[in-house]
Amino acid sequence: MSLAPGTPRVVLVYGLLGLIPFLAPPVLGGLFPDWSALAAHGLALYGGLILSFLGGARWAMAVRQPPVNGLTVSLAMLPTLVALALLLLPAHLRAVQLAGLAGGLLIHGVWDIRSRGLPDWYPRLRLVLTLGAVAGLSAGALVLHG
C-alpha cells in the first residue's frame, strides 16, 4: 500500500474504506434510479459528517498543547457550521448541497495539506482522500436527482 508511504496501515485502511460511502451512492443511484433520492441523501449526510469530523480533528490539533491559537480553534468550528447549513438545504437543492460539501472538503483538504507540524505522510494521505471524496460528491451532484 504505497499511496501514502509511511502512513500507519490502520489509518490507510480506514481512510480508503471511508471513500466507499462517497463513491458508492453515485454508482448505485445511476444503476438503480429508484434509489437515486436515497443515495443522494445518504451521500450528503456522509459528506456533512466527514466535513464536521475534519473540523473536529483540526480543533483537537489546535488545542493539544499551549499556547492555544484562538484563530485556528475558531476556524476549526467552521466546517461543522458549513456542513450543518448545507444539510439544512431542501432536497430540491441536493446538487447545490453536494457541490457545497465537495467545496468544503476541498478547502479543508488544502488547509490540511499546507499545514505544518503534521506527520510527513499526512498531506499525501489527505490528498488521496480529499480527491476521492470530492470525486464522489461531484459525481453525486451530476448523477443523482433527489
Side-chain angles (χ1 to χ4, degrees), residues 2 6 21 23-24 38 40 44 65 67 69 71 80-81 83 91 94 97 101 114 117 127 130-131 144-145:
S2 62
L23 301 173
L38 178 62
Q65 57 188 347
N69 183 321
L71 177 60
T80 298
L81 298 174
R94 189 74 73 205
Q97 185 182 58
L101 289 165
R114 298 192 58 163
L127 177 63
T130 297
L131 292 177
L144 302 172
H145 309 288

Side-chain angles (χ1 to χ4, degrees), residues 13-82:
V13 169
Y14 279 122
L16 293 175
L17 288 173
L19 290 176
I20 294 170
F22 282 116
L23 301 173
V27 172
L28 291 174
L31 292 174
F32 305 100
D34 290 345
W35 294 4
S36 185
L38 178 62
H41 185 66
L43 179 58
L45 290 174
Y46 186 70
L49 288 169
I50 294 302
L51 184 55
S52 183
F53 169 82
L54 290 171
R58 174 59 65 164
W59 190 89
M61 287 186 275
V63 300
R64 73 177 181 230
Q65 57 188 347
V68 172
N69 183 321
L71 177 60
T72 303
V73 170
S74 298
L75 290 173
M77 298 301 298
L78 288 178
T80 298
L81 298 174
V82 168

Side-chain angles (χ1 to χ4, degrees), residues 69-133:
N69 183 321
L71 177 60
T72 303
V73 170
S74 298
L75 290 173
M77 298 301 298
L78 288 178
T80 298
L81 298 174
V82 168
L84 177 62
L86 288 167
L87 290 174
L88 289 174
L89 291 176
H92 72 275
L93 294 176
R94 189 74 73 205
V96 171
Q97 185 182 58
L98 295 172
L101 289 165
L105 287 171
L106 186 60
I107 290 167
H108 205 291
V110 169
W111 185 17
D112 283 347
I113 290 165
R114 298 192 58 163
S115 293
R116 293 197 169 121
L118 299 171
D120 290 341
W121 53 264
Y122 191 74
R124 291 187 301 272
L125 178 66
R126 286 290 290 125
L127 177 63
V128 169
L129 298 181
T130 297
L131 292 177

